[in-house]
Amino acid sequence: MLGFLLGVTMALASEIGAKAPDFSLTSITGKAVKLSDFRGKTVILEWFNPGCPFVKYAHGEGVIRQEAQKWLGDDIVWLAINSGAPGKQGTDPEENREAVEKWQISYPVLMDPTGEVGQSYEAKTTPQVAVVNPDGVLVFNGALDNAPMGKKKGDPVSHLSVTLEALKAGQPVPNASPKPYGCSVKYGN
């Protein structure tokens, strides 16, 4: 019964407009990172798997590098989270370090080997993104853009940029949960 109740609590905690679940994870460089340490800032959470073709594209030819360069600053923090279970695709720490170097990722890559953080945010795919506003409220959780692997549906739209521009202007986020695309998060059993 307790597990069921915890599951309900986690699902409710990841709802748009609810307080974002706090967490403390260790980066691939060994530094502890806690979400609540960034209170007062906008935090972008990117679900990450360096073995996923969608992540490879997004960091290589795709939009993530441009988005990070555009938005990272004093008031916006970006954290990548690898919620894959040990032994699954993309979870080797060395593979993650190599990806950070190859793609020149300037923000922390955090390891979530139990998948608890990913599940608390209902992360389904990589590169799914979530945005937590300066008050610690989840305001966006879904697809990075409308162009999986560069294949656009209509005019190109960066859901992340639209969200951050709305927050900056003090406006509500217009599309807070577009269906994420990519590789499934490689949770344990």
Side-chain angles (χ1 to χ4, degrees):
M1 182 69 171
L2 179 60
F4 173 76
L5 292 175
L6 289 174
V8 170
T9 301
M10 291 174 101
L12 293 175
S14 67
E15 288 182 4
I16 300 299
K19 183 170 171 39
D22 196 12
F23 60 81
S24 181
L25 294 172
T26 303
S27 75
I28 59 170
T29 62
K31 181 180 178 189
V33 175
K34 189 172 183 181
L35 178 64
S36 58
D37 288 345
F38 301 109
R39 189 70 175 233
K41 297 182 179 208
T42 298
V43 180
I44 301 164
L45 305 175
E46 168 202 346
W47 267 267
F48 185 76
N49 171 350
C52 170
F54 290 89
V55 171
K56 289 178 181 181
Y57 177 81
H59 278 277
E61 304 168 42
V63 299
I64 286 185
R65 181 180 294 165
Q66 294 88 357
E67 292 284 347
Q69 289 172 344
K70 178 179 178 180
W71 292 107
L72 277 174
D74 292 337
D75 58 345
I76 297 181
V77 174
W78 194 308
L79 305 171
I81 300 173
N82 188 327
S83 292
K88 302 273 185 168
Q89 177 198 53
T91 60
D92 177 61
E94 185 56 33
E95 181 181 1
N96 282 264
R97 284 189 282 277
E98 289 171 4
V100 165
E101 186 176 320
K102 177 181 179 180
W103 296 325
Q104 300 172 355
I105 297 173
S106 61
Y107 46 89
V109 174
L110 311 175
M111 301 305 284
D112 175 29
T114 66
E116 185 176 332
V117 173
Q119 291 171 355
S120 74
Y121 281 86
E122 296 181 3
K124 295 174 178 58
T125 65
T126 57
Q128 183 171 333
V129 292
V131 177
V132 178
N133 75 11
D135 296 324
V137 174
L138 184 67
V139 296
F140 177 88
N141 193 358
L144 172 68
D145 59 19
N146 70 337
M149 301 292 278
K151 297 175 180 140
K152 299 169 195 73
K153 295 178 182 174
D155 291 333
V157 175
S158 167
H159 300 304
L160 179 60
S161 279
V162 168
T163 297
L164 296 173
E165 287 166 2
L167 288 176
K168 188 176 178 182
Q171 301 293 320
V173 175
N175 184 8
S177 54
K179 184 177 179 180
Y181 63 81
C183 302
S184 64
V185 176
K186 308 302 185 216
Y187 294 116
N189 296 332

